[in-house]
Amino acid sequence: MAGRNGTVVCPGSYDPVTNGHLDIITRSSQVFERVVVGVVNNPVRKGRTMFTAEERQAFIEDATVELANVEARVFSNLLVEFAREMDAKAIVKGLRAISDFEYEFEMAQLNRKLDPGLESIYMIASPQYSFLSSTGVREMATFGGDVADLVPGPVAAAMAERLGER
Ligand code: ADP
């Protein structure tokens, strides 16, 4: 059918990317033809992220080198516009606890209003990652907790280095 294609966008802050994000990205890459990981560069929050958008993008690229149909890009416009630019037919997001649901329900309705042709698809988090968030990882690392099992190796190293600079 005309108008169909296999591109999806997985949006997020990814500050930094966690094994939970990578689980969703990997599973998406097994279902869809092309997965564009969209790294939000929110100018309002500039300086409040631990890593710059380009650093966050580089961590994702590094962790997904073996997934040929995955690419990471930074965007700073509306998600529906970015998805259109990428020629995506859907947004794919991970769902963890019930608490994610309320927010995602609202976002999906807003995005549907902005672009009724763009579908929102939700993938349930794998049980081992359902309590994993970037915020949690940052907090743990700040207080000296070991995040080695939660994020890719280079991310853990970069976090230790960044926190050491303070
Ligand atoms: P976070 O909530 O960790 O700060 P982001 O804003 O970067 O994450 O989220 C990007 C997307 O990844 C969202 O759809 C979010 O629900 C999803 N996600 C985040 N952590 C996980 C996880 N551990 N398992 C599954 N999906 C997740």
Side-chain angles (χ1 to χ4, degrees), residues 29-94:
S29 78
Q30 288 158 357
V31 178
F32 302 101
E33 254 170 70
R34 173 175 170 244
V35 177
V36 179
V37 182
V39 179
V40 182
N41 185 20
N42 186 345
V44 179
R45 282 179 61 202
K46 212 168 215 163
R48 282 201 228 149
T49 53
M50 184 169 200
F51 295 102
T52 66
E54 289 68 30
E55 286 171 326
R56 289 178 267 144
Q57 175 192 25
F59 289 139
I60 298 166
E61 277 171 351
D62 180 71
T64 58
V65 274
E66 285 180 2
L67 305 173
N69 58 342
V70 174
E71 62 199 83
R73 288 173 185 250
V74 174
F75 74 101
S76 34
N77 51 348
L78 263 180
L79 175 56
V80 297
E81 279 169 13
F82 173 67
R84 212 174 291 145
E85 281 165 20
M86 293 301 109
D87 201 23
K89 278 281 175 287
I91 297 166
V92 173
K93 301 203 76 182

Side-chain angles (χ1 to χ4, degrees), residues 89-157:
K89 278 281 175 287
I91 297 166
V92 173
K93 301 203 76 182
L95 262 194
R96 285 162 295 192
I98 313 291
S99 49
D100 273 348
F101 180 81
E102 222 175 294
Y103 174 75
E104 295 298 346
F105 186 79
E106 186 183 319
M107 287 309 296
Q109 304 297 5
L110 287 173
N111 285 332
R112 186 197 305 279
K113 211 167 163 55
L114 292 173
D115 186 349
L118 183 69
E119 198 53 70
S120 293
I121 300 175
Y122 292 90
M123 215 173 243
I124 301 297
S126 295
Q128 67 270 39
Y129 302 127
S130 35
F131 296 99
L132 183 52
S133 70
S134 295
T135 310
V137 166
R138 285 198 309 273
E139 271 178 25
M140 270 181 72
T142 304
F143 295 105
D146 185 9
V147 297
D149 290 341
L150 310 176
V151 295
V155 173

